[in-house]
């Protein structure tokens, strides 16, 4: 008898979470994965707490209905604004033995090990910056660090339109770097706190002073997931391990499939999903 299908759910507002899934596949290829990008309602960055919570909750309910026992919110904005409420208010009702994890905690756990000056910067969406989640988590885990954030609202649209490596994008890369370093010139480590941003890694490095290191969270989150599964055999043992991958989008499958290779190392063939509030206007 084959095991029941119990993939690891991976959720993002769009395609950025594929950069996290890519690292999961490198480190933990044996598991089944189910990816959902809520492209119809992306970007989440400018949306309100309530809207992001509603959308993320809908997605989490869908993952559990599909058989997941473990869901990773591979989106900083959704992790910042919805994860804690879902863990505390909803998970017990949806699936009392299931788990929902985010990307902020595992990333902040590493930041203190990476900086020498003790001054770190965070590039993130407006939603993540306004939530203050990185500042609060870092303050809790590494109280001696000085943390400075910079919202980069133009980067996700540039990436989604495949303009992130064009000459035009240099202006917005330099603008946000200057704004961050103007706030704190002693920063020696900058986190790319949005799953889209690793696509701009090389472009950002071109404009960064060479002594500043740039941190991409994919490898950190993948390593943390591997450790989590070692520490939680009750979850690990129920995950199905047939190396199946399935991809869903709330928007056009053709668009998602065409652009996936910008974010991901493999071609994909996605399926369409309608979520209840799809096309709710932005708040
Ligand atoms: N991928 C999301 C994140 O990590 C940002 C994209 C969006 O604004 O929807 O924050």
């Amino acid at each position: 008898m084959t095991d029941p299908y119990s993939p690891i759910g991976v959720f993002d507002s769009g395609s950025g979470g594929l950069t996290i899934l890519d690292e999961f596949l490198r480190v933990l290829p044996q598991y089944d994965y189910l990816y959902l990008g809520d492209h119809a309602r992306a970007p989440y960055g400018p949306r309100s707490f309530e809207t992001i919570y509603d959308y993320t909750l809908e997605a989490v309910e869908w993952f559990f209905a599909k058989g997941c026992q473990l869901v990773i919110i591979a989106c900083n904005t959704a992790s910042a604004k919805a994860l804690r409420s879902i863990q505390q208010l909803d998970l017990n009702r949806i699936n009392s033995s299931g788990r929902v994890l985010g990307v902020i905690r595992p990333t902040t756990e590493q930041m203190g090990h990476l900086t020498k000056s003790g001054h770190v910067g965070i590039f993130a969406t407006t939603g993540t910056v306004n939530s203050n989640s990185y500042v609060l988590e870092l303050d809790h885990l590494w109280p001696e660090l000085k943390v400075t954030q910079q919202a980069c609202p133009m980067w996700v649209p540039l990436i989604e339109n495949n303009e992130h490596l064009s000459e035009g994008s240099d202006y917005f890369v330099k603008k946000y770097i200057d704004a961050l370093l103007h706030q704190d010139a002693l920063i020696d480590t900058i986190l790319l706190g949005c799953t889209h941003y690793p696509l701009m890694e090389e472009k950002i490095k071109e404009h960064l002073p060479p002594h500043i290191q740039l941190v991409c969270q994919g490898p950190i989150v993948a390593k943390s997931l591997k450790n989590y599964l070692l520490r939680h055999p009750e979850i690990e043992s129920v995950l199905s391990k047939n190396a199946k991958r399935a991809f869903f989008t709330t928007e056009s499958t053709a668009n998602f499939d065409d652009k996936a290779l910008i974010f991901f190392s493999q071609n994909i063939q996605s399926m369409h999903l309608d979520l209840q509030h799809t096309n709710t206007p932005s708040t």
Side-chain angles (χ1 to χ4, degrees):
M1 211 176 90
T2 52
D3 296 337
Y5 179 57
S6 183
I8 298 174
V10 180
F11 175 65
D12 185 54
S13 59
S15 301
L18 291 174
T19 63
I20 303 283
L21 178 58
D22 231 7
E23 298 296 335
F24 289 169
L25 297 186
R26 242 185 280 283
V27 178
L28 301 162
Q30 67 273 36
Y31 297 101
D32 296 338
Y33 291 91
L34 177 60
Y35 184 93
L36 172 61
D38 191 7
H39 295 87
R41 305 186 291 197
Y44 278 17
R47 292 186 185 274
S48 69
F49 169 87
E50 290 76 14
T51 303
I52 294 171
Y53 168 63
D54 283 352
Y55 290 177
T56 307
L57 179 58
E58 260 187 280
V60 166
E61 286 177 336
W62 176 80
F63 279 113
F64 282 112
K66 296 291 275 187
C68 294
Q69 287 293 327
L70 175 62
V71 177
I72 312 293
I73 308 288
C75 173
N76 287 273
T77 313
S79 294
K81 294 206 167 193
L83 177 64
R84 185 147 306 169
S85 301
I86 290 173
Q87 286 171 331
Q88 293 177 353
L89 305 177
D90 304 293
L91 191 54
N92 202 35
R93 165 183 58 81
I94 305 169
N95 181 335
S96 57
S97 58
R99 295 285 181 279
V100 184
L101 306 175
V103 290
I104 293 180
R105 182 67 185 232
T107 308
T108 51
E109 281 171 356
Q110 293 309 311
M111 288 301 285
H113 295 302
L114 301 173
T115 173
K116 289 199 173 66
S117 71
H119 292 244
V120 303
I122 313 284
F123 284 139
T125 65
T126 305
T128 300
V129 168
N130 289 345
S131 77
N132 237 10
S133 294
Y134 271 107
V135 175
L136 295 171
E137 285 276 346
L138 284 167
D139 198 42
H140 175 66
L141 293 173
W142 305 96
E144 66 284 9
L145 292 190
K146 176 160 171 36
V147 184
T148 306
Q149 307 186 89
Q150 177 61 46
C152 310
M154 287 304 291
W155 286 2
V156 168
L158 284 167
I159 293 164
E160 289 283 343
N161 288 292
N162 207 4
E163 290 288 345
H164 52 291
L165 301 179
S166 70
E167 278 178 30
S169 76
D170 285 273
Y171 172 81
F172 287 106
V173 169
K174 197 168 169 334
K175 177 178 172 154
Y176 299 141
I177 290 175
D178 290 349
L180 180 70
L181 299 182
H182 184 71
Q183 295 180 69
D184 181 359
L186 296 180
I187 287 171
D188 72 347
T189 304
I190 300 177
L191 170 71
L192 297 181
C194 169
T195 53
H196 280 66
Y197 296 174
L199 276 79
M200 298 183 83
E201 183 182 4
E202 293 311 315
K203 176 73 93 183
I204 297 167
K205 278 184 183 163
E206 280 171 28
H207 293 275
L208 267 189
H211 71 280
I212 298 182
Q213 63 173 329
L214 208 53
V215 179
C216 293
Q217 62 187 162
I220 296 174
V221 175
K223 196 169 165 203
S224 167
L225 177 60
K226 189 173 180 182
N227 287 337
Y228 177 88
L229 294 175
L230 286 172
R231 284 184 285 111
H232 293 274
E234 77 286 3
I235 297 289
E236 199 284 334
S237 59
V238 298
L239 299 176
S240 51
K241 302 169 189 73
N242 299 303
K244 282 190 195 158
R245 290 83 175 87
F247 300 86
F248 282 80
T249 173
T250 54
E251 244 290 342
S252 148
T253 56
N255 280 349
F256 183 32
D257 296 356
D258 284 352
K259 287 194 187 150
L261 274 182
I262 307 174
F263 298 85
F264 200 48
S265 56
Q266 303 171 22
N267 276 306
I268 68 166
Q269 273 199 318
S270 62
M271 286 166 272
H272 180 79
L273 170 73
D274 275 320
L275 285 176
Q276 200 187 341
H277 298 110
T278 300
N279 296 327
T280 302
S282 175
T283 49

